[in-house]
Amino acid sequence: MSYRRALPWNDALRVLNASGMAACTAALAILLLLPGCTKEPGTAVASAPEPALVERGVDTRIIEYKNTLQRDPFSAEARFGLGTVFLEKTDLRAADSEFSRALELGMDANIVLPQLARTWILMGRSKSLIETHANTRLSNPSAAAALKAELAIAYTNRGEPKKAREAIDSALKDDPTSPAANVVRAQFAMAEKRVDDALRILDEIFVAHPGATDAWKLKGDILLLAKSDAVAAMAAYEQALRTNPRHLPSHATLVAMALGSHDLAAARTRLNRLVEVAPGYLQTSFFEAKLAVAKGDFKAARDVIQQAVVDYPNDLRSLMLAGEVELKMGALRAAEEYLTRAMVIAPNMPRVRHLMAQTYLRLGTPDKASAILEPMVSPKRSDPVALALSAEAALQSGLPIVAMRLFERAAAAAPGDPKLRTALALTRIAKGEVEAGFTELEAAAAADRSTYTDMALLSARLRTGDLPSALKAAQGIARKLPGKPLPLWTLGGLQLKAGNAGAARSYFEQALELDKSFVPAALSLADLDLQARDPDKAMRRFQSVLALDPNHQEALLAVAEIRSRTGEPPQKVKEAFEMVVQLHPSQPQPRLSLINHLIRSGNGTAALAAAQSATGVLPSDLAIVEALGRAQLAVGETAQALTTFRKIVSAQPRAPEPHLLMADVYMGLNQNESAMESLKQAVALKPNMIAAQAKLTGLATVAKNWPEALRVARNVQRLQPKAAAGFHLEGLVYAAQQQWDLAVVAFRNAAQRGQSSELTVQLHGSLSASGKKDEATRLAAQWLAKNPADNSFLKYMGDLSLVGRDFVVAEARYRAILATDERDADALNNLAWVLVQQSKPEAVAVATKAAALQPKRADILDTLSAALASADQLQAALENQKKAVELAPDALAMRLHLARIAVKARDFPLARVELDKLSALGKSFPQQADVWELRKQLR
């Protein structure tokens, strides 16, 4: 590893734990992005660039030096001046060329050689420096010491510590106060872990040379890395900048510190200062990209870092960051290309191999990931990141025992890393050691000061359907984050899942009280407001957010969504979403929301246009690509949709969700064998993916392949024995075979693990079908006592009563639904029909309200016609029934109803036309007796 080469920030902390000069030098190299490019006091004394010129901007200095060379092409001083500017800009080849020309033109070697040597070190030419200048003797003691200090660094880079020590001893004999030599001496002390001695040496430098910029920079590095004193380190870097405001390594390190502490505002300020002094500096582009990544703007990061790679094709840090950005954006082949180039430059750098392994894992090639990590996971190595990635590769390869052993080694190598303990525990759970895995996960959560493990524990509990334990995990998160809205919002969501809407609302309100702009809580409360039929209150939830930031993306999207859910015209809602897209054109969520709205509102053509526009702006965003596929389905472009979804499969070969999308398309085409194949691939990638397992069960049930359907259901039970899903699926299979007693047993097993409205409906239906009417009645009463506002179950019970012609009970059920949701068109329609059957005059008003909500639903217009006819409003009844028949021309019962109303209204020509159409159908219309009775009434 060459001295002062730029590496990822966290590597410095790791390397400092190693021993030896090379390890220490490497650690300091991570932060010392560039050496100071100014002359330290005493370095050289003759014919340096004019101080007034040095103070000017980089571009100005280049122009003036080149103007000098136009007047005097043989000016060694101008060549040297250009070299110093190019070194400052890290244009190392140009600096090397100009310094070499200055020497050729006769400039004093005492001035040029220390700077040329520094340039060669940065270029990785340690061997050339040793071969060319190891025996060079300079007449100026300070210059001689500076050259020997660079030679000491070169020997260190070449793995020759003894010669490095000899070089620095000789340098100190030439000039005991040489800042350059004493800085390297301090580095030697650090290599021997004599931190206090290193700081003492630096303080001695400041006595003789208070403006020794590189020494101040090194002091900052030592304070930061060895003493963990960021405040004192920052003061040292600021002092380095006071001695030389253009000292790029200090500027760069301060930017890196701000990014490392996630202080993005400070990082922006620091980076602006760096841009002011060095707009063309390579690290400027690097940090611009890092800042964009920290903000989550990967598209901007990609644009910046790609240009940096073009300008500096062999810069390791830029290649690594470019690969990391592409990896985050899901552009896996591009990531592989950048990281392959980085591997050529630094084949043994751990971070490069880590990123490459992650890329291979995402590409679904665990064998390649294992191969790239192999040198780092040997018994003598203890790289915890490499071990964890190797464990993931083993899991992908179907080797859970190997994976668990690797996770155990990783956790032993980094016992304080909660992520590794968490991964090990989750692996045990996935392997079937559920109790042991959860015990380990809970222990890890208790020891982890962060909430990382608690979140994993919460997620795992939810996957197994253990809601009480999930609530307990969420409470652990809340204890660790007092005064933060997120855990309160999480608790609210869990309470809502448990059916405790009041407790959920309380948690959401507490979260919003802590942070008025916490949009997730406002959204959750707005959902509850909408369920309570209070859209104005839902809208007001976001007023405080938009008052602080009128362009707040999430708040604007929430307002548009509320407008959609409260029945505003689709065009108005579309315009609201389009406004958010215009305000945030590079963000995917506004575009996704617009596409989803257009698909929901049946405007497939506009949805496709919006999706195509989105893919033009965000071609690598897989959520956008998925939306394009759904839009293509909406307009009937099935073949194109399959092609689109296959792109997602190619980009994410280890992700099960794209296979699920393709299965949906195949099922829509009635290509059930292809659908089954896609679902099996999804399950192979994620065995506990319930959505895929449920669809597999459904397809097997449709094919009446009962053994296969039961096998899938029981496999889910094996994978998630404490969850309801597998037993629920088993009940559905038995119900499809009308084996009601077995269905009851399965549904009861499911209910013991997690009750739901859907499951209660199916258990009630199975009890009724198996002749257990009294049990079914008790179940319904118990469920409604606990869940009086369960509109789904109320509708089911109302419909049962309606079919059984128990109109009094049916009316009560539908009115209960409307008490909590007065805009439920189905409940209004069914209530109106029940009232018609009871000859109640309220039927017309109720049916009219339903028709106002859904004016183009034929069944609702049919009910309205019946209500009007029962109230002797025959002309209005006829007009509405004609509309119903126009909307549903193949609904023959509605034609018969139209004929019946026409007869009652004595519109015999209309009645005759409709009855003739029905008579012509013969036996294919089973109500010919009714047709004949109506014909007898014609005049």
Side-chain angles (χ1 to χ4, degrees):
M1 184 184 301
S2 66
Y3 178 70
R4 293 166 178 164
R5 176 173 286 164
L7 298 176
W9 179 268
N10 291 336
D11 284 358
L13 302 175
R14 176 184 55 76
V15 176
L16 261 183
N17 291 325
S19 60
M21 174 65 182
C24 179
T25 304
L28 294 173
I30 294 162
L31 297 180
L32 204 58
L33 301 173
L34 270 180
C37 295
T38 57
K39 305 182 307 299
E40 300 291 6
T43 298
V45 294
S47 302
E50 292 294 328
L53 184 55
V54 171
E55 291 302 316
R56 298 177 192 175
V58 171
D59 293 337
T60 300
R61 289 154 61 195
I62 289 175
I63 291 169
E64 296 201 17
Y65 285 132
K66 288 186 175 180
N67 288 341
T68 300
L69 287 170
Q70 282 186 341
R71 294 190 298 271
D72 180 7
F74 301 103
S75 170
E77 289 77 7
R79 291 289 178 191
F80 178 75
L82 267 180
T84 60
V85 178
F86 286 135
L87 179 56
E88 185 176 319
K89 290 184 65 176
T90 66
D91 189 344
L92 302 178
R93 290 183 180 176
D96 177 24
S97 174
E98 296 301 336
F99 287 143
S100 298
R101 291 292 305 279
L103 277 176
E104 292 170 3
L105 292 170
M107 191 166 189
D108 188 351
N110 289 289
I111 299 172
V112 181
L113 273 184
Q115 298 286 40
L116 180 61
R118 175 164 288 192
T119 303
W120 284 10
I121 290 291
L122 290 171
M123 294 176 73
R125 297 180 59 189
S126 295
K127 181 180 179 182
S128 297
L129 179 61
I130 293 169
E131 291 174 348
T132 307
H133 293 295
N135 297 316
T136 299
R137 298 290 177 265
L138 297 177
S139 58
N140 182 284
S142 295
L147 175 59
K148 289 174 182 176
E150 300 296 342
L151 282 164
I153 295 170
Y155 282 125
T156 298
N157 291 342
R158 298 288 296 167
E160 300 181 64
K162 183 178 179 181
K163 289 187 177 181
R165 175 70 69 179
E166 290 172 354
I168 209 64
D169 288 344
S170 178
L172 291 170
K173 286 180 182 177
D174 289 332
D175 182 1
T177 66
S178 167
N182 279 295
V183 163
V184 177
R185 181 179 160 222
Q187 291 172 350
F188 278 12
M190 278 296 298
E192 296 163 3
K193 298 192 177 181
R194 293 184 290 110
V195 176
D196 292 336
D197 283 349
L199 290 172
R200 178 185 54 76
I201 293 167
L202 293 174
D203 288 339
E204 290 172 357
I205 296 175
F206 301 140
V207 172
H209 304 288
T213 307
D214 282 356
W216 283 111
K217 172 64 169 60
L218 178 58
K219 183 173 183 178
D221 295 342
I222 294 172
L223 290 169
L224 182 65
L225 295 173
K227 295 288 190 180
S228 299
D229 190 342
V231 175
M234 192 174 295
Y237 296 136
E238 293 287 7
Q239 182 59 37
L241 291 175
R242 280 192 285 274
T243 64
N244 176 13
R246 305 185 63 82
H247 192 246
L248 303 185
S250 295
H251 279 296
T253 303
L254 287 167
V255 177
M257 286 180 71
L259 285 171
S261 62
H262 303 289
D263 188 344
L264 303 188
R268 180 73 269 170
T269 301
R270 295 286 187 187
L271 185 52
N272 288 343
R273 289 180 61 187
L274 178 58
V275 172
E276 286 175 10
V277 299
Y281 179 42
L282 168 61
Q283 297 305 324
T284 301
S285 298
F286 176 81
F287 283 127
E288 285 283 5
K290 288 287 282 186
L291 184 56
V293 168
K295 291 179 177 179
D297 190 349
F298 297 114
K299 183 177 184 299
R302 170 190 273 170
D303 293 342
V304 173
I305 202 64
Q306 282 183 345
Q307 187 57 50
V309 170
V310 170
D311 294 339
Y312 301 92
N314 296 316
D315 180 70
L316 178 62
R317 290 192 73 176
S318 296
L319 287 169
M320 288 171 62
L321 183 56
E324 188 171 0
V325 168
E326 298 294 347
L327 180 60
K328 288 180 182 295
M329 294 186 73
L332 303 180
R333 294 302 180 189
E336 181 183 19
E337 180 184 344
Y338 284 124
L339 294 171
T340 299
R341 290 165 61 184
M343 284 278 293
V344 172
I345 297 171
N348 298 318
M349 181 175 286
R351 179 62 176 162
V352 180
R353 287 182 176 267
H354 294 164
L355 289 170
M356 184 66 91
Q358 289 177 48
T359 303
Y360 285 142
L361 288 172
R362 291 274 299 278
L363 283 167
T365 52
D367 52 335
K368 289 186 177 180
S370 296
I372 209 78
L373 294 165
E374 186 176 0
M376 306 166 70
V377 297
S378 65
K380 295 182 180 180
R381 299 286 296 272
S382 58
D383 183 328
V385 177
L387 288 164
L389 289 170
S390 292
E392 189 176 340
L395 281 176
Q396 281 195 21
S397 300
L399 303 170
I401 295 176
V402 174
M404 196 163 71
R405 288 172 181 166
L406 287 164
F407 274 132
E408 286 171 347
R409 285 183 59 199
D417 190 338
K419 294 184 179 180
L420 295 174
R421 288 187 68 183
T422 300
L424 176 58
L426 292 173
T427 302
R428 284 186 172 139
I429 293 170
K431 184 172 170 283
E433 299 177 10
V434 178
E435 187 174 345
F438 273 117
T439 299
E440 172 62 22
L441 203 53
E442 287 171 347
D448 183 5
R449 292 184 179 180
S450 75
T451 59
Y452 174 85
T453 310
D454 298 86
M455 293 299 290
L457 176 60
L458 171 60
S459 178
R461 289 298 190 189
L462 285 172
R463 281 199 299 273
T464 59
D466 189 347
L467 197 56
S469 295
L471 277 165
K472 184 179 176 182
Q475 288 162 353
I477 297 170
R479 284 193 296 272
K480 289 182 179 180
L481 296 174
K484 299 292 184 183
L486 178 62
L488 293 171
W489 175 71
T490 303
L491 281 165
L494 291 172
Q495 291 289 358
L496 200 59
K497 191 177 181 68
N500 303 323
R505 181 181 288 275
S506 175
Y507 278 123
F508 294 147
E509 286 174 343
Q510 291 177 56
L512 201 59
E513 185 65 29
L514 288 172
D515 184 352
K516 299 292 185 187
S517 62
F518 187 64
V519 171
L523 279 170
S524 298
L525 284 166
D527 281 337
L528 292 174
D529 294 334
L530 290 173
Q531 290 173 28
R533 311 314 306 163
D534 193 347
D536 293 335
K537 188 175 183 180
M539 197 74 78
R540 288 196 300 272
R541 296 286 180 189
F542 301 96
Q543 287 178 348
S544 59
V545 180
L546 292 171
L548 295 171
D549 180 3
N551 295 333
H552 195 290
Q553 175 182 303
E554 289 79 11
L556 289 170
L557 288 174
V559 168
E561 194 64 42
I562 291 171
R563 288 179 176 175
S564 174
R565 291 174 61 180
T566 52
E568 285 199 19
Q571 181 60 29
K572 290 288 186 184
V573 178
K574 173 176 177 281
E575 290 169 1
F577 281 121
E578 286 175 338
M579 182 188 73
V580 191
V581 171
Q582 290 169 4
L583 289 171
H584 304 279
S586 64
Q587 295 301 308
Q589 191 54 53
R591 294 180 180 275
L592 287 169
S593 297
L594 172 61
I595 297 164
N596 290 337
H597 163 70
L598 293 169
I599 291 174
R600 281 198 310 267
S601 59
N603 195 346
T605 302
L608 181 58
Q612 289 169 336
S613 173
T615 53
V617 176
L618 300 163
S620 300
D621 191 300
L622 296 182
I624 294 290
V625 176
E626 179 197 331
L628 173 63
R630 289 189 287 107
Q632 289 166 333
L633 285 177
V635 296
E637 295 182 357
T638 308
Q640 293 89 330
L642 280 172
T643 300
T644 299
F645 291 145
R646 286 191 186 105
K647 290 179 182 177
I648 304 177
V649 171
S650 298
Q652 292 185 317
R654 300 297 301 178
E657 290 79 10
H659 295 287
L660 203 61
L661 288 170
M662 293 185 69
D664 287 341
V665 179
Y666 286 129
M667 282 190 283
L669 294 170
N670 291 320
Q671 297 179 16
N672 288 349
E673 288 187 9
S674 296
M676 186 80 77
E677 184 59 35
S678 290
L679 290 169
K680 286 179 179 177
Q681 291 181 54
V683 169
L685 292 168
K686 190 176 181 181
N688 61 352
M689 190 179 194
I690 300 303
Q693 299 275 20
K695 289 181 179 180
L696 272 173
T697 307
L699 285 174
T701 299
V702 168
K704 296 186 178 182
N705 186 348
W706 311 120
E708 174 63 12
L710 285 171
R711 186 196 66 77
V712 176
R714 286 169 182 162
N715 186 50
V716 176
Q717 294 171 18
R718 181 183 60 79
L719 290 168
Q720 298 188 13
K722 291 186 178 182
F727 298 94
H728 193 168
L729 291 174
E730 181 183 2
L732 291 173
V733 175
Y734 284 130
Q737 300 175 73
Q738 297 186 4
Q739 297 187 32
W740 300 114
D741 288 336
L742 291 173
V744 166
V745 172
F747 287 140
R748 276 180 172 157
N749 281 329
Q752 289 171 2
R753 290 161 171 79
Q755 294 181 329
S756 68
S757 181
E758 179 188 6
L759 179 56
T760 307
V761 165
Q762 287 153 352
L763 176 55
H764 182 278
S766 298
L767 285 167
S768 299
S770 64
K772 300 179 176 69
K773 303 282 187 184
D774 292 341
E775 273 191 75
T777 300
R778 284 196 299 273
L779 174 67
Q782 290 167 0
W783 181 258
L784 287 174
K786 291 181 181 178
N787 305 279
D790 183 350
N791 287 352
S792 177
F793 191 77
L794 284 167
K795 182 179 183 302
Y796 162 74
M797 293 302 294
D799 292 350
L800 274 183
S801 300
L802 181 59
V803 171
R805 302 190 67 78
D806 188 345
F807 299 129
V808 174
V809 173
E811 178 182 345
R813 299 306 188 201
Y814 296 134
R815 288 193 186 279
I817 294 172
L818 294 168
T820 59
D821 186 358
E822 63 184 13
R823 294 172 62 86
D824 189 316
D826 288 324
L828 285 165
N829 183 54
N830 290 353
L831 175 60
W833 182 256
V834 168
L835 294 172
V836 169
Q837 303 309 306
Q838 299 177 86
S839 301
K840 291 187 176 181
E842 188 189 353
V844 172
V846 174
T848 301
K849 189 173 182 180
L853 290 169
Q854 299 282 350
K856 293 187 177 182
R857 269 183 55 178
D859 59 327
I860 288 179
L861 293 175
D862 183 57
T863 302
L864 176 57
S865 298
L868 290 165
S870 68
D872 288 328
Q873 299 180 36
L874 298 178
Q875 282 306 122
L878 274 176
E879 292 305 316
N880 278 286
Q881 195 63 19
K882 287 177 184 177
K883 292 178 184 176
V885 170
E886 287 176 8
L887 289 168
D890 296 326
L892 302 180
M894 290 187 188
R895 286 194 180 277
L896 182 62
H897 190 198
L898 175 58
R900 186 173 283 119
I901 296 172
V903 169
K904 189 174 182 181
R906 304 186 70 80
D907 188 344
F908 299 133
L910 173 60
R912 186 172 286 108
V913 169
E914 295 302 327
L915 292 170
D916 286 346
K917 290 178 181 177
L918 294 171
S919 295
L921 295 172
K923 292 182 179 180
S924 63
F925 181 60
Q927 292 175 270
Q928 290 295 344
D930 293 328
V931 172
W932 179 248
E933 286 299 321
L934 286 173
R935 277 191 178 279
K936 290 194 296 185
Q937 300 178 45
L938 296 179
R939 298 288 185 271

